Amino acid sequence: MTATQSNADVAETRNPPGAGPAEAEGALKAIYQRRAVRAYTDEPVPREEIEQLLEAAIHAPSAVNLQPWGFVVIQDRETLTRYAEEGKMLLLGDPPTEEVVESGFSGNDWLRQMAASADFAIFHGAPALVVIYATSSGGTQDCFLAAENLMLAAWTLGLGTCPVGLALPLFNRKEVKADLNVPSDWVAALPITVGWPAGETPPTTRRPAQIVAWR
Ligand SMILES: Cc1cc2nc3c(=O)[nH]c(=O)nc-3n(C[C@H](O)[C@H](O)[C@H](O)COP(=O)(O)O)c2cc1C
């Protein structure tokens, strides 16, 4: 991409010529250097940057190009703090709520212990959160592709991200959806924290690809 081309211009290009060496290197760097970032500075993320992330997200592939995603962006500190507390209390609730059971988090002692810790911060203190909702049944896997696009685009801007599956029960609550103008039949696919990383995040390890057939 040249300095004068916007992301939208790039996406509109017909018969894209394919990646040259510089593009290929940049794309691979984003894939290999993205990290789940769990420490952020307090600096807010400008609206323009968030818009760029959403633009990247919606360029993900989707089955029959259904684009079954909807987004909630939360940057208001008070709202983030309130939801962080609510998300934590949901994980600790006994008996577990329907949303916690549906997320598969009930009866997990390790998880309860982690959530009970005084320094547990479900959104890692990030100044922004994007929640991707599936707008149709079966749309969740398309939303995951959108999520990866968003996280890779964030890396190109120097922003850190972390998927937060632990907040799924929260964003699937009837009351929370109503509070956020989310239609009741949408399903939270993945909340993602966004912010400027505080320090470096070391890479995590990967097992080699398990190739069980190559015929
Ligand atoms: C669907 C999904 C849910 C996740 N949920 C959480 C979460 O609730 N909290 C968290 O800190 N990290 C969460 N992660 C981040 C993973 O722990 C992280 O991606 C993994 O450890 C690999 O590290 P890396 O992303 O830095 O390569 C989640 C990742 C995925 C894909």
Side-chain angles (χ1 to χ4, degrees):
M1 194 183 345
T2 65
T4 51
Q5 269 181 310
S6 69
N7 287 339
D9 289 340
V10 173
E12 285 304 312
T13 308
R14 284 173 192 271
N15 303 320
E23 283 90 351
E25 194 190 332
L28 288 173
K29 253 192 178 173
I31 291 169
Y32 292 125
Q33 294 188 1
R34 178 212 53 81
R35 307 268 183 268
V37 172
R38 300 189 178 88
Y40 297 94
T41 71
D42 286 336
E43 194 184 335
V45 183
R47 188 184 181 97
E48 195 180 273
E49 260 87 342
I50 302 273
E51 284 171 350
Q52 286 190 50
L53 302 188
L54 299 180
E55 194 60 32
I58 65 165
H59 280 87
S62 62
V64 290
N65 200 18
L66 215 54
Q67 305 171 47
W69 37 60
F71 302 89
V72 164
V73 179
I74 307 175
Q75 293 192 272
D76 176 63
R77 270 286 173 198
E78 188 272 327
T79 307
L80 282 170
T81 306
R82 180 164 52 85
Y83 279 152
E85 188 55 27
E86 205 179 313
K88 172 180 170 138
M89 295 322 289
L90 258 184
L91 294 175
L92 292 173
D94 194 12
T97 65
E98 189 188 322
E99 299 86 6
V100 172
V101 173
E102 274 172 10
S103 300
F105 296 145
S106 56
N108 183 329
D109 289 342
W110 170 83
L111 179 63
R112 282 181 69 84
Q113 257 178 26
M114 183 177 69
S117 139
D119 55 10
F120 175 73
I122 194 165
F123 304 139
H124 307 296
L129 185 76
V130 176
V131 189
I132 307 183
Y133 278 90
T135 60
S136 67
S137 61
T140 316
Q141 51 272 61
D142 299 314
C143 291
F144 290 149
L145 298 178
E148 180 71 347
N149 266 18
L150 185 153
M151 293 189 285
L152 294 178
W155 178 88
T156 70
L157 299 174
L159 285 162
T161 54
C162 185
V164 188
L166 289 177
L168 285 171
L170 174 76
F171 290 107
N172 275 320
R173 290 210 85 188
K174 192 165 76 261
E175 299 78 2
V176 172
K177 287 192 208 174
D179 189 33
L180 295 169
N181 295 327
V182 171
S184 58
D185 60 339
W186 288 15
V187 178
L190 199 60
I192 303 172
T193 60
V194 180
W196 306 104
E200 288 187 6
T201 306
T204 49
T205 56
R206 291 293 185 274
R207 291 187 295 274
Q210 288 192 61
I211 303 165
V212 295
W214 189 326
R215 292 179 183 141

